[in-house]
Amino acid sequence: MAEEALPAGGEEPEAVAEEQEEAGGPSPSSPPSRRLAVPASWLSPSGGLPAELGARFPALEELDVSGTGLAALGPELLGLGRLRTLLAKNNRLGGPGSLPKGLAASPLGRSLRALNLSGNRFAHLPPPVLGLRRLRSLSLGSNRLQAIPPAIQELGSLEFLYLGGNFITSVPPELANLPSLSYLVLCDNKIQSIPPQLAQLHSLRSLSLHNNLLTYLPREILNLVHLEELSLRGNPLVVRFVRDLTYNPPSLQELAGRTIKTRNVPYIPSDLPGNLLRYLNLASNCPNPKCGGVYFDSCVRQIKFVDFCGKYRVPLMHYLCSPECSSPCSSASQSSNSQSESDSEDEAIVAARRMQKVLLG
């Protein structure tokens, strides 16, 4: 089972006072409880939480129902309008009705900031969770998840996302639409590639990808200027350069578009149909500094190794406009070849300065 680290401020709630547990509730003179850990003995005969939970503890801010054997979180929680942290780890949640209906629109849905459902039986990310627009921390580690839904982008306030220890095989590009995400944990899954769009996560500080099936990383990861930790151990990272992995010859439309872009052929919106104008706006620049070309749909994928921290060499994916860009031009001299390699090393040095910690072993 994958280990999970809570973000700062996500410590376990304190246990309820002993006298409250023995009496089944707080005494009339006791101050309102803000932190509560529910013991298994409090569960109803049907295995649910007490129906009067919200009425007994209206001021709750942190609630821990972990390890109680719960199979469902019922409507008794919906009225907890001050609850900010809900821990429901290591239970039997995951079946139909595991989460209460109307969660997102309830007082609880509006107040909740941290939700931990790790160690349960969810095969899909629960739809009610995707409506919690103010959620900052979400943990679903060690479940049975097989995919991350594109609707994850609806959680726009998310800062911490833990999905380690599942059966996830791919990462949707929509994950990049989380502007506040600082910690992303995808370790111990079956992920084979990372979308280049993750480079748009400009707030990302820690990315855990260890124990997956990765053979390369997208070159765009170098744009994560705030990234402090990248964990890659336990992946079948390639051990040698791989060139010209795939290349489909460009279409006539792409050849025409490349010519317009590289030769700066002037045009105005009224000259072309709308679909061609949109197509021309999709041009990507070839990263080869000696090329200056562009590409649209047809490109060469090339894996290059980049040094991090002066010790590790990480394979990054490059997208080039043609096979000629995957090696020095045939007319180039040996000295220009050496210069090209030197440029690559300079790029690697710059990248190394951006990364403070890369964990490969």
Side-chain angles (χ1 to χ4, degrees):
M1 182 177 294
E3 296 180 359
E4 179 172 350
L6 289 173
E11 66 274 5
E12 299 288 342
E14 296 172 352
V16 65
E18 183 177 353
E19 63 270 19
Q20 293 183 15
E21 180 175 337
E22 294 176 350
S27 62
S29 60
S30 62
S33 298
R34 296 184 178 181
R35 314 176 80 179
L36 174 66
V38 174
S41 60
W42 279 26
L43 300 188
S44 66
S46 61
L49 292 171
E52 66 278 9
L53 182 67
R56 283 189 178 184
F57 303 97
L60 272 184
E61 296 179 3
E62 298 186 17
L63 175 63
D64 187 357
V65 295
S66 301
T68 57
L70 275 174
L73 295 172
E76 63 275 356
L77 299 179
L78 296 181
L80 294 173
R82 298 185 184 181
L83 195 68
R84 298 178 64 86
T85 299
L86 175 57
L87 303 179
K89 303 181 294 181
N90 304 326
N91 284 302
R92 297 184 292 118
L93 302 171
S98 290
L99 299 181
K101 294 181 180 180
L103 174 61
S106 68
L108 173 63
R110 292 190 293 269
S111 66
L112 201 59
R113 297 295 183 269
L115 176 61
N116 193 323
L117 297 173
S118 292
N120 281 284
R121 304 176 180 180
F122 289 102
H124 307 281
L125 205 152
V129 171
L130 297 174
L132 300 176
R133 306 296 173 84
R134 301 180 182 181
L135 201 63
R136 296 177 184 173
S137 174
L138 174 61
S139 299
L140 275 158
S142 300
N143 274 271
R144 303 171 183 177
L145 302 179
Q146 299 182 20
I148 304 173
I152 191 73
Q153 65 182 343
E154 301 298 327
L155 301 178
S157 300
L158 212 57
E159 300 174 3
F160 177 90
L161 178 60
Y162 190 102
L163 299 175
N166 283 285
F167 302 94
I168 298 169
T169 58
S170 62
V171 179
E174 288 82 2
L175 192 61
N177 297 330
L178 298 176
S180 301
L181 194 63
S182 299
Y183 299 89
L184 177 58
V185 182
L186 298 172
C187 61
D188 299 292
N189 279 285
K190 300 181 181 297
I191 299 170
Q192 300 183 37
S193 63
I194 297 297
Q197 288 86 350
L198 288 194
Q200 301 170 19
L201 293 172
H202 300 301
S203 299
L204 198 63
R205 296 173 55 191
S206 177
L207 176 59
S208 297
L209 297 170
H210 52 272
N211 298 332
N212 276 287
L213 301 176
L214 295 171
T215 56
Y216 66 89
L217 295 177
R219 182 178 184 274
E220 287 80 0
I221 200 171
L222 297 177
N223 296 328
L224 295 172
V225 295
H226 297 295
L227 195 64
E228 300 174 356
E229 182 173 346
L230 173 63
S231 178
L232 294 171
R233 66 182 183 274
N235 281 284
L237 296 174
V238 292
V239 295
R240 57 190 176 89
F241 289 97
V242 179
R243 300 179 184 273
D244 301 346
L245 295 180
T246 59
Y247 181 66
N248 296 319
S251 63
L252 291 177
Q253 176 177 285
E254 174 147 354
L255 289 173
R258 290 187 180 195
T259 300
I260 291 174
K261 286 295 187 178
T262 56
R263 298 189 179 183
N264 295 317
V265 176
Y267 62 90
I268 58 177
S270 60
D271 293 338
L272 299 171
N275 62 320
L276 292 182
L277 288 173
R278 290 190 293 272
Y279 181 78
L280 290 173
N281 290 332
L282 296 176
S284 298
N285 294 321
C286 182
N288 185 345
K290 298 183 180 300
C291 173
V294 300
Y295 64 87
F296 294 86
D297 303 312
S298 177
C299 61
V300 174
R301 295 190 301 159
Q302 179 193 45
I303 293 177
K304 294 183 68 176
F305 284 85
V306 175
D307 286 337
F308 285 112
C309 304
K311 180 177 181 181
Y312 303 112
R313 292 183 66 78
V314 178
L316 301 179
M317 180 65 78
H318 290 235
Y319 295 88
L320 305 172
C321 67
S322 70
E324 286 73 21
C325 282
S326 64
S327 61
C329 298
S330 57
S331 60
S333 64
Q334 182 65 35
S335 61
S336 64
N337 183 14
S338 300
Q339 181 62 41
S340 177
E341 295 297 328
S342 176
D343 291 341
S344 297
E345 293 300 323
D346 290 342
E347 183 185 52
I349 293 173
V350 172
R353 290 171 182 163
R354 292 181 176 178
M355 296 290 188
Q356 296 181 20
K357 187 187 299 182
V358 178
L359 305 177
L360 294 179

